[in-house]
Amino acid sequence: MADFQGCPGSHMLNFNTQTANDAGQEVGKISSQLGQWPIQMHLISPLAPYYQNADVLLTADCVAYALGDFHREYLKDKSLAIACPKLDSGQDTYTEKIKAWIDEANINTLTVLIMQVPCCMGLLGLAREAAEKAKRKIPIKYVVVGVRGEVIREEWV
Amino acid sequence: MEAFFTKGIKEIIDQYPDVEKILDEYGIGCGPCSVGICELKDIVDIHNLPEDQERELMQKIAGIIYPGQDIKIPPGKKRAPAVSDEMKYSPPMKQLVEEHVLIKRWIALIPAVVKNLDLESGEGRQLILDGIDLIRSYADRYHHAKEEDILFKYFDKDSEILQVMYEDHTTGRGHVKAMLDALERRDAATLGEHLLAYRDLLTGHIKKEDEILYPWMDRNLSTTQVGELFAKFSEVDEKMGFSPDKYLNFIEKLEKQFNR
């Protein structure tokens, strides 16, 4: 493929797909670990009961499609919100909602899951900005997922 | 070979001194440890070596214990790859590491303090009392209490690694008591001995915690537990209304005095 000069977020890639029953992969139905609704950042109320004192996942929209073990490894026992830092409008509201999670819902931790494409860092930026504005301090972790579903980085901020 | 997995490392090194060199090669500095009750299998686990290096290490140790024999080593434990070469701590563990900085600055000053001990003047005795206050209030009551009352409760208190930490804390408290007794008797030689022994103890203790214990704990704590620890540490800070400024000023004054 010729060198791509455009946005890495829209860079076209065709993976050599592998099926789930390849050696070493578990097969069978996997239960959903989603414990709430709604989940889209514009639709959620940060003070909903399932956010109170919770470990919250703030996930870029694409992550759940890329990360094969998203439900078992990350969503289990967490409360969720999803957003796209590139395409969503009105992201000031997101900052306010994250701040309300920290100060009013007293969340325990915030884990931000993003894709490796540069625009996704914006979601972590929103979380950091909100955390700086908040009165309470909480641990924030970020996880960067590759476009082929591999976890590239997992660190506390 | 498996019989050695559950033996204390000191016992193994006493019997096979070359094992210490092998461990050193892999950055596992058990030799100088004053306790040495950690089992070989736990030591290998706690240092989080890559699977191939763990196997290689065990093969070399087997070569020392059973020279000339073909010993089968069980497969190493598969571990999550390290995410970064840099040491990254979770926020509560980072707090503990940062609290070590002030303690390390104090223990770095101890040789100069001992060299210039003056127990005849009120000023000289006050310097020692201030140093002991830093140890008792900041290092022990504030920092070690966070570990013993909160952090260690998330782990098996009977595990060898925690036993070593508890023992270091107890030994440190013994040195402090001996320092106060010596100060009262104006016995500069004994006071100096205990100050230097405390320095040696804490130097090794902090290194073990920063490089081995805390990273191992971080690997074993869930995200929820990290959040809980962070909240509990913040509660301790709030309740104590603690500010390290007093100790920071003391250290800075001494560093100027001894041109550090």
Side-chain angles (χ1 to χ4, degrees):
Chain A
M1 189 182 285
D3 284 349
F4 180 78
Q5 301 297 321
C7 168
S10 351
H11 186 177
M12 201 184 295
L13 295 167
N14 189 3
F15 304 139
N16 182 17
T17 53
Q18 292 178 313
T19 53
N21 58 1
D22 282 351
Q25 300 282 315
E26 288 184 29
V27 293
K29 283 189 177 177
I30 296 172
S31 310
S32 168
Q33 298 294 336
L34 184 62
Q36 62 175 87
W37 193 263
I39 57 171
Q40 210 289 329
M41 201 60 183
H42 276 303
L43 303 179
I44 61 124
S45 159
L47 303 184
Y50 38 80
Y51 290 124
Q52 303 289 329
N53 307 306
D55 293 299
V56 174
L57 275 193
L58 175 59
T59 303
D61 290 349
C62 302
V63 167
Y65 297 99
L67 189 58
D69 255 351
F70 174 71
H71 279 254
R72 276 189 311 196
E73 293 290 321
Y74 290 93
L75 183 55
K76 191 172 189 296
D77 299 325
K78 308 276 198 316
S79 297
L80 177 70
I82 63 168
C84 175
K86 182 169 184 170
L87 304 176
D88 292 356
S89 55
Q91 292 184 28
D92 290 350
T93 320
Y94 293 176
T95 313
E96 289 309 309
K97 286 188 177 184
I98 299 167
K99 184 171 168 284
W101 273 339
I102 299 171
D103 279 339
E104 294 169 57
N106 292 317
I107 64 169
N108 188 43
T109 58
L110 177 64
T111 302
V112 184
L113 275 98
I114 54 177
M115 297 300 298
Q116 72 179 123
V117 294
C119 48
C120 239
M121 288 304 283
L123 195 59
L124 180 61
L126 281 181
R128 282 182 142 150
E129 189 190 333
E132 273 166 27
K133 286 182 179 169
K135 290 189 190 81
R136 275 180 78 233
K137 297 292 162 220
I138 56 156
I140 298 177
K141 185 196 265 188
Y142 75 104
V143 182
V144 180
V145 179
V147 291
R148 303 197 64 173
E150 72 281 23
V151 173
I152 293 173
R153 180 174 283 252
E154 182 164 346
E155 276 177 9
W156 293 97
V157 173
Chain B
M1 183 64 192
E2 285 185 21
F4 281 88
F5 287 177
T6 51
K7 271 197 178 174
I9 195 64
K10 200 92 183 157
E11 195 185 341
I12 297 176
I13 290 174
D14 284 348
Q15 215 176 338
Y16 304 98
D18 284 348
V19 169
E20 183 180 341
K21 287 181 208 152
I22 302 294
L23 291 171
D24 276 345
E25 273 179 38
Y26 290 83
I28 303 176
C30 288
C33 178
S34 55
V35 187
I37 54 172
C38 295
E39 295 175 2
L40 179 59
K41 68 173 170 51
D42 295 333
I43 288 165
V44 173
D45 182 47
I46 216 165
H47 283 79
N48 199 36
L49 293 174
E51 196 183 356
D52 54 336
Q53 281 188 30
E54 177 180 329
R55 200 174 166 78
E56 193 182 82
L57 164 73
M58 297 307 279
Q59 199 75 59
K60 285 183 183 174
I61 292 176
I64 289 168
I65 297 174
Y66 304 102
Q69 293 182 45
D70 183 23
I71 302 297
K72 283 196 174 154
I73 304 294
K77 198 171 168 183
K78 277 190 183 171
R79 300 185 174 89
V83 290
S84 166
D85 291 340
E86 195 188 334
M87 193 82 83
K88 291 274 184 182
Y89 301 98
S90 67
M93 237 46 99
K94 200 172 170 198
Q95 273 184 26
L96 296 177
V97 172
E98 281 167 1
E99 285 165 16
H100 280 161
V101 174
L102 192 63
I103 303 169
K104 286 199 280 192
R105 283 172 73 180
W106 162 234
I107 58 181
L109 287 162
I110 286 179
V113 169
V114 170
K115 205 174 159 190
N116 296 282
L117 268 182
D118 167 21
L119 301 188
E120 299 310 315
S121 73
E123 197 186 344
R125 289 194 299 278
Q126 190 56 48
L127 188 154
I128 298 302
L129 283 173
D130 289 345
I132 291 175
D133 179 42
L134 188 150
I135 296 172
R136 292 178 108 182
S137 302
Y138 185 80
D140 204 31
R141 222 166 284 148
Y142 175 66
H143 174 78
H144 290 162
K146 271 186 188 171
E147 293 178 333
E148 292 186 3
D149 299 344
I150 302 170
L151 176 65
F152 291 178
K153 303 252 188 257
Y154 283 82
F155 297 88
D156 175 9
K157 72 175 173 46
D158 296 323
S159 64
E160 285 80 1
I161 183 73
L162 286 196
Q163 286 302 312
V164 172
M165 296 301 141
Y166 280 118
E167 197 162 324
D168 282 353
H169 291 174
T170 307
T171 308
R173 285 166 195 144
H175 285 309
V176 170
K177 189 177 176 308
M179 286 175 212
L180 284 167
D181 291 344
L183 183 64
E184 204 176 313
R185 294 194 310 273
R186 302 201 182 177
D187 175 353
T190 307
L191 176 61
E193 273 172 33
H194 285 284
L195 276 165
L196 290 171
Y198 181 82
R199 176 183 188 265
D200 289 346
L201 176 80
L202 262 281
T203 303
H205 181 75
I206 289 173
K207 190 174 161 60
K208 275 184 270 186
E209 289 190 333
D210 286 357
E211 295 176 13
I212 309 292
L213 183 73
Y214 295 161
W216 172 75
M217 287 178 155
D218 261 342
R219 289 194 297 275
N220 287 284
L221 286 167
S222 67
T223 301
T224 307
Q225 289 172 324
V226 167
E228 285 170 9
L229 276 173
F230 187 83
K232 286 175 185 174
F233 285 179
S234 303
E235 243 172 67
V236 170
D237 291 349
E238 273 169 33
K239 267 187 200 161
M240 288 190 80
F242 201 85
S243 163
D245 289 355
K246 174 182 157 190
Y247 301 107
L248 194 58
N249 293 339
F250 167 69
I251 295 295
E252 281 173 354
K253 194 178 137 200
L254 276 189
E255 284 172 342
K256 268 187 201 153
Q257 190 178 330
F258 295 122
N259 296 318
R260 302 293 294 227

